[in-house]
Amino acid sequence: MTDQRSSASASPVATSKHGASAKEKSVATATVRTGRIRVAKAEVVPISTRNAPAQPGGNATNPTAAKSAPAIVALARTKAALPSYLAVYRATALERIDMIRRGIPAAAAKRLFADLPIGQGAGFKALNLSTATVNKKAKHGETLSPGESERIVGFAKLVGQLEAMVQDSGNPTNFDARAWMARWLNEPLPAFGGARPADLIDTMEGQGLVSAALAKIQSGAYA
């Protein structure tokens, strides 16, 4: 997954009433604000994008405002991104907490599973996320709730942990870490009483157990 650097702001728009004095003129400014977080070797990655405020005098049924909304949403979607799996894994706990509190863009969550052979449907189900809800939020350029974001960040951290293990092992030739992860998540493990790792990753405690199992594999102990 490739990190992106981006920021966006809409140009100020001035409006005035015919015949009004200079003091009565009003200026409305619409700004798309982009939050940022610094992770892993000074990477700057957009975390969330907020919709611009409504123009003064406008209302929910204003046709002009309604026409401008899709453009703002499209911009928000193009700026939504997640750090690489390794960046999430190597980030500090405080950095990950900040990402979670800001909210992960739903569009970025969809791309997370697009990069993995697990599949979006199976991935969201394993994390106890509603595919319909994620798709709806992505369509409107919205972010996931802190609880939903925490599961997404936790899962990205697990994939990053595996990638770090592969790097530490000298990057074995022809070893596809993400394909291996997809298979391993669906294998029953004795350490989990026969449960699959995929059955546990919908909670942070479960993700901790899966992380510990990966660490045992790295150390040579079979989980």
Side-chain angles (χ1 to χ4, degrees):
M1 176 176 290
T2 304
D3 297 341
Q4 301 178 20
R5 300 168 180 262
S6 59
S7 63
S9 61
S11 300
V13 179
T15 59
S16 62
K17 296 181 179 179
H18 180 68
S21 65
K23 291 183 179 181
E24 294 173 329
K25 293 182 179 181
S26 62
V27 177
T29 302
T31 304
V32 177
R33 299 176 180 175
T34 304
R36 293 177 176 275
I37 183 172
R38 186 174 297 277
V39 297
K41 298 183 180 179
E43 284 185 322
V44 178
V45 184
I47 295 302
S48 62
T49 306
R50 300 176 182 176
N51 289 340
Q55 296 292 333
N59 54 58
T61 59
N62 189 325
T64 301
K67 289 181 180 180
S68 64
I72 295 174
V73 170
L75 177 64
R77 285 202 298 267
T78 60
K79 302 304 179 184
L82 268 174
S84 67
Y85 303 115
L86 275 173
V88 173
Y89 174 66
R90 290 172 174 165
T92 67
L94 289 177
E95 287 169 339
R96 285 192 292 268
I97 288 171
D98 188 50
M99 292 174 61
I100 291 166
R101 286 176 174 170
R102 287 173 180 267
I104 298 300
K110 286 171 63 66
R111 284 193 292 274
L112 169 68
F113 289 104
D115 287 345
L116 297 171
I118 300 173
Q120 281 189 10
F124 289 147
K125 182 178 180 181
L127 293 176
N128 195 23
L129 297 175
S130 166
T131 301
T133 297
V134 176
N135 287 338
K136 181 179 179 181
K137 289 185 175 182
K139 181 179 179 180
H140 292 87
E142 299 175 355
T143 60
L144 300 178
S145 69
E148 294 166 335
S149 297
E150 185 171 35
R151 278 168 271 165
I152 289 291
V153 170
F155 182 75
K157 180 186 173 186
L158 287 174
V159 180
Q161 179 181 352
L162 177 61
E163 291 188 345
M165 288 166 55
V166 173
Q167 285 191 1
D168 292 343
S169 300
N171 290 310
T173 304
N174 298 323
F175 179 74
D176 189 334
R178 296 177 185 179
W180 182 91
M181 184 72 161
R183 292 192 302 270
W184 182 75
L185 284 172
N186 288 291
E187 293 178 357
L189 296 182
F192 299 153
R196 305 171 306 158
D199 298 328
L200 306 175
I201 59 175
D202 61 328
T203 67
M204 299 315 296
E205 285 292 327
Q207 288 185 359
L209 289 174
V210 172
S211 176
L214 284 173
K216 287 182 179 180
I217 291 174
Q218 184 178 23
S219 65
Y222 180 75

